[in-house]
Structure formats: C-alpha cells, structure tokens
Amino acid sequence: MVESPEKKPRQVGGWRKGSYQLASASHTHGGCLRSIERKLKQYMHLVVEITSNKKIQYIIINIITAAVVFARNLIFMRKLALIDLGQVALAQTMIMFISLFQLGIINGGYRLYSSQNLEENRKINNLISSFIFVIAIVFGTICLGLLGLIKSINFYFSTITISLIAGLATLGSNWYTNCLVADGRLRISNLINLLAAMSSLAIAASLWGRNLNVALLSLVAQPVLAMILTLIIYPVSRPTQFLLSSELLRRILSLGFIPFAGGILAILTVQIERWMIIYALGPEQLGHYYIIILYTSVFTLVPASLLNVYYPTAMRRFETEDFLALSSIMKQHAKDLIRYIALAVLMTVFLIKPVVTMFLSKFKADTGLVFLGLPGFMAVAMCDVFSLHYHATRRLGPLLWQGLVGIFSLTGGLWILVATKQFSLEHVVIVKSVAAMLTTGMIAALYFRERHERRSQA
C-alpha cells in the first residue's frame, strides 16, 4: 500500500519537521539540565569552600556550642523555681567576679603568645598556669573569711563552693582555649568546647525535682571539662613548671592590663546592674531578668567569635606595617557584623515570642525586655569594629575610656532610678541600652576623629 503524501512529514532544510521539533525540544531540555547541573556544582563548590574554611568552621561550631548552652539554660528556666534561678544567676555573677583577679595576664598573655615564639610561649604558659593556681589559693582564703557576709545576702553554701570552682576553671579553660586559637588549632578548640557544652547539657537534662545542686553541677561541668580535655588532647598546653617571673609578668601586663582594666569595668558594670536588681527588687526579680542574661550570651556570641578570628591576623598585618591589608580586614569585619546584626534582629522580632510562649511560658510577660534591649545589643556588637582596630594597633587607651563611659553612664542611670523610685526591670534595660549606645558613640567618634587627623596630615 502506498502512503498518502499528506501523511509524510514535511522536509525543512534537509530535515523532517517532526525530527527537527524533537531535536529542538531535546536540545532545550538538555540545555536546562546542563544549566541546573552547573549551578548545583557552583553551589556545592561554594558550600565545600565555606565549610572547609577553618575560621568559618570555628564560628559555626561556636554557634552550635552556644545553642547547646542555650538549651541548658532553657532547662534551668523551665525546671527551676524563680528563687533557684536567681541562685544560678548569682553563681554566674560570682564566676565573672573571680575573673577580676587575673589582672590582665590572660589578655596580655594571649597577645604575646600570638607572636608565635615557641620557647617564650612555653614560659608564658607556665607563668599563667602558676598565676591561676595562686589565684585559687588567694580566692579560696577570701571566701572562707567572708563566708558569714556571703550567707547574709542569701547565697547558699553550695552556690558559693561551686561558683568558686567554676570561676577558677573558667580562667584555666579560657587561657588554654586562647592557646589553641593562637596556635591555629581551631578544630581542636571546636571539638573540646562542643564536648564540654554537651556534657553540661546532659547533666542539666537529668534535673529532677527542681534540684538546684544539679543545675549548679551542670554549670561547673563545662569549664572543668574544657580545661581537662585541652590538657589531655593538646600536650603543648600542659605547664611544665611553677614559674613566677617578674620580668615576663611585666611584659604581659604591659600588653594586657589596659584591656583588662576595660574588661574589669565591663564586668563591674554587669555586677552593679545585677546587685542593684537584688538590692531594689530582690533575688526573684533577678530570676525574671534571666531572659536578658540568656539573650545577651546568645546575641554576643558571634561578634565575640568574629573578634577572636580577625584579631591575630589584624595584629600581624599591623606588625608588618601592611596597613592596606589591615584596613581591608576591618572593612570585612564590619560587613560581617552588619550582616549578623540584621539577621539576629529579624529572627528576634519574628521568633522570640513564639519560642518563649512554646518553651518558657512563665517568661512570656518578660519578652518585652528583649525588645527594649535590642538597640543596646546592636550597639555593643558594632563597638567591636573599633575594638579590633585598637587591639590590633595596641593603642589601648580608648578601650579604657570606653569602659569608663559605660560604667558611669549605667551606674548613674540606675541610681537616678533608685532616687526617683522608678526602679523596674524595664527601666533597667532602657538605661543599659542608652549606656551601650553612649559607649559605642564615644569610641566611634574618637576613631573617626583620629582617622580624619591622619588624613589631614598625609
């Protein structure tokens, strides 16, 4: 049978029309697949590049570690009565107070240790380890002598004991972690911090019957385990002798005392804030204020991690007089902070209320405190841009002025609240935010004035 001519596909340019359409469709489909494949490869390459970057890994693991600590604090807030939560807050306050006794040797030691002189680093480690041991003896004696006074402010004996151990262990773990970061052992630091935090969470998860002592044990477990694990996993961090060299101590303090003095002022600011809440409103209201304490620790984690990551490189660029690279580092640091702040604020605005309502219903009425504090949290984070510059260039005077402005503005504001009988948690947070913005405004104005003067002289 002969086919009808109408049934034959029409030829177009030597090709049948049907074949041409099929080939065209196949070509288009294949092109889309290849385009998608190329994009997927690009994204995968970007993900691999990001996740293989040690600095980014350090920040990510720090965030995960903070999430674990956050989960532990959620357990405290859910299972403990407000009066016991106030004891936990008091313990954390005492841990911070103990850090005042290190006199800046950890700050200065880290700066000197970052110069990568192996023999000198061994001496630095021995001296700082010995100094922490001396602090343990001195502080233990002081606590025993003031035991009656401490009990008179509703501090339980178990809280005193565990706070003392945790404070001393925190000094040790902070120093040994600094050694790891300065030596570029970021992965080991990540592993140790994560394991210590998860162990602390496991203890907190075993809370039964609203047991305060178990909560305090969870609090002390993290720094103790972090210190022990560092000494076991990283032999370089182990002290080899008891050493108190006055010459080396002077060098360390010359680099560390002013940042330490600024740190003292920051710690004293927190101490004044919390003790005045206890004085004016009582320990139970400090329990309500715990939502601000918790949010502060979460919000400031990434800025602190970024500062730790950028500082050693910035300092080396300054020492080699590569000022162009130093400027580039500062700009990148500022961009990273701005991105983080934008993301953190958005997540807070949209998630804080549902999260608190779902997991911490007894703090539902306190979420307004977080919103009142947001301007202050943002100001504190942006302050790190200028702190990085002054730390790296070793011009530390402005950091001391920063601390002075912060403590005087906060203390003055709180005493005004007491004098006018307007003291409340809401007003405390507002005063705290105003003090933070004044502090950041002061150091920013100083930085830009100095930069303008340098350009005028050039």
Side-chain angles (χ1 to χ4, degrees), residues 157-218:
F157 181 75
S158 58
T159 307
I160 300 169
T161 305
I162 292 178
S163 298
L164 176 60
I165 297 171
L168 295 169
T170 299
L171 288 179
S173 64
N174 284 346
W175 166 244
Y176 298 126
T177 299
N178 281 347
C179 292
L180 289 171
V181 173
D183 286 340
R185 310 287 183 169
L186 299 182
R187 289 181 180 174
I188 297 177
S189 175
N190 288 339
L191 175 65
I192 289 171
N193 288 332
L194 188 57
L195 286 175
M198 291 182 70
S199 300
S200 175
L201 176 62
I203 295 172
S206 70
L207 270 173
W208 65 90
R210 302 176 183 273
N211 194 315
L212 173 62
N213 289 333
V214 176
L216 294 173
L217 180 61
S218 170

Side-chain angles (χ1 to χ4, degrees), residues 1-56:
M1 185 169 91
V2 179
E3 284 187 355
S4 171
E6 289 79 15
K7 299 258 177 128
K8 292 181 180 179
R10 185 167 59 90
Q11 304 249 334
V12 179
W15 292 85
R16 295 179 179 178
K17 183 179 179 183
S19 300
Y20 173 78
Q21 290 173 336
L22 181 62
S24 177
S26 176
H27 175 75
T28 303
H29 183 64
C32 289
L33 286 176
R34 282 192 294 273
S35 176
I36 293 171
E37 184 180 355
R38 280 196 304 271
K39 288 187 179 297
L40 283 174
K41 285 182 178 180
Q42 289 173 357
Y43 288 131
M44 288 300 295
H45 178 73
L46 181 62
V47 169
V48 170
E49 187 177 345
I50 289 173
T51 54
S52 62
N53 186 301
K54 289 183 180 181
K55 293 180 179 179
I56 294 176

Side-chain angles (χ1 to χ4, degrees), residues 89 133 135 152 215 233 250 294 318 337 342 347 358 389 391 432 457:
F133 178 75
I135 291 174
S152 69
I233 295 174
R250 280 195 299 270
L294 176 62
F318 176 75
L337 280 173
M347 291 181 67
M358 186 178 299
H389 169 77
H391 278 298
K432 183 176 181 177
Q457 294 170 1

Side-chain angles (χ1 to χ4, degrees), residues 103-346:
L103 300 177
I105 62 166
I106 291 180
N107 310 75
Y110 176 63
R111 285 161 176 76
L112 200 57
Y113 196 97
S114 296
S115 298
Q116 301 295 303
N117 183 319
L118 296 179
E119 179 60 27
E120 186 170 61
N121 285 357
R122 183 181 60 80
K123 294 179 180 179
I124 294 169
N125 186 41
N126 285 335
L127 185 143
I128 294 178
S129 299
S130 303
F131 200 86
I132 292 172
F133 178 75
V134 172
I135 291 174
I137 296 174
V138 171
F139 205 86
T141 305
I142 291 172
C143 282
L144 287 175
L146 299 177
L147 190 59
L149 174 63
I150 294 172
K151 283 185 176 180
S152 69
I153 55 174
N154 297 319
F155 226 153
Y156 300 161
F157 181 75
S158 58
T159 307
I160 300 169
T161 305
I162 292 178
S163 298
L164 176 60
I165 297 171
L168 295 169
T170 299
L171 288 179
S173 64
N174 284 346
W175 166 244
Y176 298 126
T177 299
N178 281 347
C179 292
L180 289 171
V181 173
D183 286 340
R185 310 287 183 169
L186 299 182
R187 289 181 180 174
I188 297 177
S189 175
N190 288 339
L191 175 65
I192 289 171
N193 288 332
L194 188 57
L195 286 175
M198 291 182 70
S199 300
S200 175
L201 176 62
I203 295 172
S206 70
L207 270 173
W208 65 90
R210 302 176 183 273
N211 194 315
L212 173 62
N213 289 333
V214 176
L216 294 173
L217 180 61
S218 170
L219 203 63
V220 74
Q222 185 172 352
V224 169
L225 285 172
M227 182 175 66
I228 292 173
L229 286 172
T230 304
L231 293 172
I232 292 173
I233 295 174
Y234 191 56
V236 174
S237 65
R238 299 172 194 167
T240 57
Q241 67 177 113
F242 185 86
L243 176 66
L244 291 177
S245 166
S246 58
E247 186 273 332
L248 182 58
L249 185 60
R250 280 195 299 270
R251 289 180 59 206
I252 290 174
L253 289 176
S254 69
L255 293 175
F257 184 75
I258 292 180
F260 166 70
I264 284 181
L265 294 172
I267 291 172
L268 284 176
T269 300
V270 174
Q271 298 283 320
I272 290 168
E273 168 195 329
R274 296 186 188 178
W275 288 112
M276 286 193 72
I277 290 173
I278 295 171
Y279 166 75
L281 303 175
E284 187 168 337
Q285 287 300 306
L286 186 61
H288 283 284
Y289 196 72
Y290 200 82
I291 193 170
I292 287 291
I293 297 172
L294 176 62
Y295 186 84
T296 302
S297 65
V298 173
F299 190 95
T300 56
L301 174 78
V302 171
S305 299
L306 287 171
L307 190 61
N308 284 339
V309 165
Y310 279 108
Y311 167 72
T313 307
M315 184 195 70
R316 292 183 192 116
R317 295 293 176 269
F318 176 75
E319 288 180 344
T320 58
E321 298 186 357
D322 190 349
F323 300 119
L324 187 62
L326 176 61
S327 177
S328 176
I329 289 169
M330 286 193 62
K331 289 177 182 177
Q332 186 58 49
H333 181 221
K335 289 178 183 177
D336 289 345
L337 280 173
I338 291 170
R339 292 188 192 107
Y340 165 71
I341 289 170
L343 178 62
V345 169
L346 284 173

